[in-house]
Amino acid sequence: MKKIIIVLLLITNIAVFAQTNEPSETPERLVKDFFEAFHAQDTVKLKSFSVEGVKLESVSIDAEGNTKLTSDDYSKFIKSIASIPSEATFEEKLHEFRVERNGLLATVTTPYSFYFNGNLSHCGVNSFQLVNFQGEWKIVYLIDTRTKKDCD
């Protein structure tokens, strides 16, 4: 009986230890949390995921077929999320996560399709550049592509 109790205690401790090491401090977890806050229009959380001065850019093709790079302020992005009317629905469906991690630096890319009021608006790929500050991952650069073509 004593051995059974010891084994149960060991299993319980392993389970508790595994829960405390939940991947909440991983690059993938940060990006998942970012999109949960994005869909909830939680601007306070969205701000908390990035460093001051985070760079935000988008790449697209203009009407003449030229590559266009647009830079924006992260605070402007946050305000635009907050200004989406409550009756509107939007969802950025992420198709996969590709994570490259090297010490304090990580890149997370997520192909996506964006829907507004149930209709496909555009698709592309997000690329998050993250840096680990004292055990906490933060977004330092975010770039995405946007297209209306080949959004399968």
Side-chain angles (χ1 to χ4, degrees):
M1 183 69 174
K2 193 175 188 178
K3 287 182 182 181
I4 292 174
I5 292 173
I6 291 172
V7 169
L8 287 174
L9 285 173
L10 283 173
I11 291 172
T12 303
N13 284 338
I14 289 171
V16 168
F17 180 74
Q19 288 176 359
T20 59
N21 282 337
E22 179 72 26
S24 62
E25 297 300 325
T26 67
E28 183 175 344
R29 180 77 260 157
L30 172 74
V31 172
K32 286 180 178 179
D33 291 345
F34 171 89
F35 280 103
E36 286 175 16
F38 173 74
H39 292 122
Q41 293 177 273
D42 187 338
T43 58
V44 173
K45 276 190 181 177
L46 285 170
K47 287 178 190 174
S48 74
F49 297 133
S50 67
V51 296
E52 184 76 28
V54 61
K55 192 162 185 155
L56 185 66
E57 296 184 314
S58 288
V59 179
S60 60
I61 304 295
D62 67 16
E64 291 80 40
N66 300 310
T67 301
K68 179 180 169 187
L69 179 65
T70 306
S71 298
D72 213 346
D73 187 58
Y74 192 72
S75 62
K76 187 177 174 185
F77 162 74
I78 298 287
K79 288 177 187 173
S80 72
I81 297 304
S83 69
I84 297 172
S86 60
E87 62 274 3
T89 60
F90 64 98
E91 180 183 12
E92 188 154 332
K93 291 183 181 179
L94 304 180
H95 303 298
E96 69 177 295
F97 285 84
R98 298 179 202 137
V99 180
E100 281 190 53
R101 188 172 170 176
N102 188 346
L104 298 175
L105 181 65
T107 301
V108 179
T109 54
T110 59
Y112 72 90
S113 299
F114 187 82
Y115 295 83
F116 190 77
N117 288 330
N119 298 311
L120 179 64
S121 169
H122 61 276
C123 63
V125 177
N126 299 307
S127 179
F128 292 82
Q129 294 295 312
L130 310 174
V131 173
N132 189 305
F133 295 94
Q134 292 77 40
E136 186 176 10
W137 290 97
K138 294 283 187 174
I139 303 166
V140 296
Y141 180 66
L142 173 56
I143 189 168
D144 65 50
T145 62
R146 296 180 189 184
T147 185
K148 293 181 184 273
K149 296 181 180 179
D150 301 321
C151 294
D152 305 68

